[in-house]
Amino acid sequence: MRIIKPNDIPSSEITPREIYLNRRRFMAGIAAFAAAPALATPAPPARGPRLAGVRPGRFSTNEAKTPFESVTTYNNFYEFGTGKSDPAEKAHTLKTRPWTVSVEGEIRRPRIYDIDELLKFASLEERIYRLRCVEGWSMVIPWVGFPLAELIRRVEPTGNAKFVEFVTLHDPRQMPGQRSSVLDWPYIEGLRIDEANHPLTLLAVGLYGEVLPNQNGAPIRLVMPWKYGFKSAKSIVKIRFVEKAPLTAWMRAAPNEYGFFSNVNPKVDHPRWSQARERRIGEFFKRETLMFNGYAEQVAPLYRGMDLRKYF
Ligand SMILES: Nc1nc2c(c(=O)[nH]1)N[C@H]1C(S)=C(S)[C@@H](COP(=O)(O)O)O[C@H]1N2
Ligand SMILES: [Mo]
């Protein structure tokens, strides 16, 4: 299946941002006239090029999707600042082409992959997943991507590959938030090899059928829906197979608050707040947080016999 790259798409197929914005302003004008005082309507985020050949994938929830506008303007991406609107405002400085992902470590076929080569690895699927942030909010996002297991199979891990480390780009010229020492850069995350190989674990390259917006971790990021959002590292440049559990950026910053596993668990509180409930973005009332974010049926067997209080 061929995948359309941003440069292949004729400009006639892209909604020109100008027209879109003007239409929005026009509609906002009508609304203001009809029902003053109207709330100021912020400029909507630009829509990206569509990805071709995306088929419906497994494990999708049929819960209401969080609107595109919220998914792309309410973000955590500390490389662009710690405010929720910083990534949408600042991530345009990130250059996603050319882009390579170095796959290395305890594997028989180490290689530096060009992103466009990686995109042809597997046919792309849409997976509508819940994403629960450790801070207590959640969204439902239609990701586009392919299982990380597809990549792992190709690079042939050795018997010593017990964990996988994921490294985000480190370039303060493109990522101005890296000039601050809020985290020790680069952003590092890690998974046990069985978690990495789990069919729910996705390498996402798009959302809402479109090329991944920069603020959501373009050109390629992880998504593990049963773990707190921070495990899903964005804008990945390196995937390293290792024998020992990697020291993640959040464990380095606050080891008593962020464990290696970070599975969504309503029964294990964060030291500074409860994890029992969450606010779905766009909703008023909080809802109960589910064990493994509602994916227990799929992932509970990975942790059988483990004390999830100790291994938080
Ligand atoms: N490199 C990097 N990856 C990151 C983060 C970050 O700050 N830097 N934030 C994490 C957190 S806390 C969350 S909740 C999710 C948010 O993903 P989204 O903005 O696409 O919803 O990205 C995660 N991945
Ligand atoms: Mo998060």
Side-chain angles (χ1 to χ4, degrees):
M1 214 165 285
R2 216 179 84 82
I3 293 141
I4 291 195
K5 287 169 267 142
N7 295 344
D8 291 336
I9 297 176
S11 55
S12 60
E13 278 182 37
I14 302 172
T15 312
R17 184 169 158 80
E18 292 275 311
I19 293 175
Y20 183 55
L21 292 179
N22 284 336
R23 192 164 59 217
R24 282 289 295 224
R25 272 187 218 112
F26 178 67
M27 300 299 279
I30 289 176
F33 190 76
L39 297 169
T41 328
R47 303 303 298 244
R50 290 200 71 80
L51 291 157
V54 179
R55 63 187 167 88
R58 299 163 68 191
F59 307 115
S60 283
T61 170
N62 49 24
E63 287 175 284
K65 290 179 255 181
T66 304
F68 178 89
E69 192 153 347
S70 305
V71 172
T72 58
T73 58
Y74 190 87
N75 302 100
N76 269 340
F77 200 171
Y78 279 18
E79 283 83 344
F80 297 98
T82 54
K84 299 288 177 256
S85 56
D86 286 337
E89 284 162 16
K90 297 178 181 158
H92 57 88
T93 53
L94 175 65
K95 268 191 71 206
T96 59
R97 292 294 188 287
W99 188 280
T100 57
V101 181
S102 175
V103 186
E104 53 190 68
E106 292 288 348
I107 51 177
R108 293 196 182 83
R109 299 177 177 280
R111 246 193 83 186
I112 294 172
Y113 287 96
D114 186 84
I115 183 68
D116 291 312
E117 202 181 341
L118 264 182
L119 278 165
K120 286 177 204 127
F121 249 38
S123 59
L124 296 181
E125 294 175 38
E126 178 172 85
R127 303 262 190 108
I128 306 166
Y129 281 168
R130 289 180 289 274
L131 184 105
R132 166 64 156 82
C133 179
V134 72
E135 294 163 359
W137 46 269
S138 64
M139 298 196 194
V140 175
I141 303 176
W143 301 106
V144 177
F146 59 90
L148 173 61
E150 291 278 343
L151 171 64
I152 296 179
R153 190 170 53 80
R154 270 162 220 247
V155 300
E156 298 177 21
T158 71
N160 294 332
K162 305 275 197 281
F163 294 89
V164 192
E165 179 182 83
F166 303 87
V167 184
T168 295
L169 177 70
H170 187 193
D171 182 356
R173 283 167 306 160
Q174 293 185 61
M175 297 178 143
Q178 288 177 336
R179 290 184 201 128
S180 132
S181 51
V182 57
L183 285 174
D184 244 328
W185 311 106
Y187 196 97
I188 289 173
E189 259 309 334
L191 293 172
R192 215 168 55 187
I193 189 85
D194 59 339
E195 299 179 310
N197 262 317
H198 192 280
L200 270 176
T201 303
L202 205 65
L203 276 172
V205 298
L207 56 79
Y208 269 103
E210 301 172 7
V211 169
L212 203 58
N214 286 1
Q215 59 267 39
N216 294 92
I220 191 161
R221 58 91 54 89
L222 273 169
V223 182
M224 287 84 58
W226 74 97
K227 291 179 179 285
Y228 291 118
F230 67 86
K231 297 295 289 179
S232 295
K234 294 176 166 182
S235 305
I236 294 168
V237 292
K238 194 189 289 182
I239 301 178
R240 205 157 67 93
F241 293 74
V242 292
E243 196 162 3
K244 298 219 167 68
L247 181 59
T248 70
W250 282 106
M251 290 171 77
R252 243 180 310 168
N256 58 322
E257 302 194 7
Y258 306 104
F260 180 78
F261 288 95
S262 295
N263 293 316
V264 174
N265 189 338
K267 287 179 258 164
V268 176
D269 292 341
H270 183 280
R272 289 184 283 136
W273 59 82
S274 161
Q275 292 292 21
R277 298 193 305 150
E278 69 198 59
R279 191 186 307 286
R280 181 68 48 85
I281 296 297
E283 290 181 358
F284 183 74
F285 293 106
K286 287 191 176 179
R287 43 168 87 208
E288 307 276 304
T289 286
L290 302 174
M291 189 62 204
F292 296 116
N293 201 24
Y295 298 90
E297 197 188 321
Q298 286 83 24
V299 301
L302 294 174
Y303 310 104
R304 197 167 284 145
M306 277 174 64
D307 177 354
L308 296 180
R309 262 174 204 290
K310 185 169 172 207
Y311 299 103
F312 63 99

